[in-house]
């Protein structure tokens, strides 16, 4: 037997198409998201996180038609974030087949909505997304509105605020590391995991299986999410939907033998 933390591919949608960003900028078109979902199905991933990076920015509601198609195709638990501004939209996502909804901007601008979602579906089905950029002298600064609006709360304070709203876990993304494939911001992750009593999913920067192990062990993360690592291959970042084999994860210490 061995301990098996969750490893979660994070897929980004822009206007219905699969893209990948770097530091939340310059989205690169990757293809049809349905193809990616089918491949991850075959690879037996633990969970799939889908974030629509254009919904909030453009004031659009979640594309429930596309999301219904994804949920119908997917054989793994699904979470979704982007453009959810009404409880009815969240309810529709649950009815589509999504196990979790993710809130970022609403944590501060519409906390009532977050609480309503918790009351409707339970804490385990509501995730707080916290996006953090490392600025002058490494100071961590939180952003909302898809990384466009700077706020004054420290990541630890925002995480504790989200916990008080009743969310069941936190998706913590380093904007500065996102898409870099140079490793997670371990200091940031540890500061948040040590401050709250709910699971933290680390996101932003994974490039190798060793990065996953490091953030789980040294960052105390409960799960590791990644984007580029699962959609690019090689030095030239060729598009290839992939997932490390279980033997690789065991060999790198991501899955610890018990």
């Amino acid at each position: 037997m061995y301990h098996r933390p969750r490893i979660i591919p994070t897929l980004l949608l822009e206007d219905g198409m699969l893209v990948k960003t770097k530091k939340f900028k310059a989205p690169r078109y990757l293809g049809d998201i349905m193809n990616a979902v089918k491949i991850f199905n075959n690879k037996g991933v633990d969970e799939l996180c889908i974030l629509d990076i254009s919904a909030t920015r453009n004031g659009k509601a979640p594309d429930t038609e596309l999301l219904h198609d994804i949920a119908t195709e997917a054989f793994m638990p699904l979470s979704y974030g982007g453009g959810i501004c009404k409880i009815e939209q969240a309810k529709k996502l649950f009815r589509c087949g999504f196990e979790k909804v993710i809130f970022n901007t609403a944590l501060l601008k519409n906390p009532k909505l977050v609480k309503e979602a918790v009351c409707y579906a339970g804490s385990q089905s509501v995730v707080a997304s916290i996006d953090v950029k490392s600025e002058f002298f490494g100071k961590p600064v939180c952003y909302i509105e898809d990384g466009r609006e700077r706020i004054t709360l420290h990541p630890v304070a925002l995480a504790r605020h989200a916990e008080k709203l009743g969310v069941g876990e936190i998706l913590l993304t380093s904007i500065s590391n996102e898409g870099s494939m140079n490793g997670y911001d371990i200091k940031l992750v540890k500061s948040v995991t040590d401050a709250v009593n709910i699971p933290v999913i680390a996101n932003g920067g994974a490039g190798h299986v060793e990065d996953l192990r490091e953030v789980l062990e040294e960052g105390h993360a409960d799960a590791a999410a990644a984007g580029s690592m699962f959609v690019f291959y090689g030095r030239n970042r060729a598009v290839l939907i992939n997932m490390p084999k279980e033997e690789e994860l065991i060999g790198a210490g991501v899955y610890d033998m018990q």
Side-chain angles (χ1 to χ4, degrees), residues 131-164:
D131 299 331
V132 183
K133 185 183 292 185
S134 180
E135 298 196 341
F136 298 110
F137 303 108
K139 179 183 178 182
V141 177
C142 291
Y143 281 75
I144 56 175
E145 299 283 355
D146 190 35
R148 292 176 296 126
E149 182 177 332
R150 188 180 194 270
I151 62 173
T152 57
L153 281 181
H154 186 278
V156 167
L158 183 53
R160 287 174 172 162
H161 168 71
E163 187 175 24
K164 288 179 181 177

Side-chain angles (χ1 to χ4, degrees), residues 4-30:
R4 181 177 175 141
R6 289 174 296 155
I7 306 300
I8 306 170
T10 300
L11 301 180
L12 305 182
L13 282 174
E14 184 176 57
D15 299 323
M17 303 307 295
L18 181 63
V19 300
K20 187 67 194 82
T21 54
K22 188 171 184 180
K23 298 184 178 181
F24 281 32
K25 297 178 181 179
R28 175 181 171 184
Y29 170 71
L30 301 180

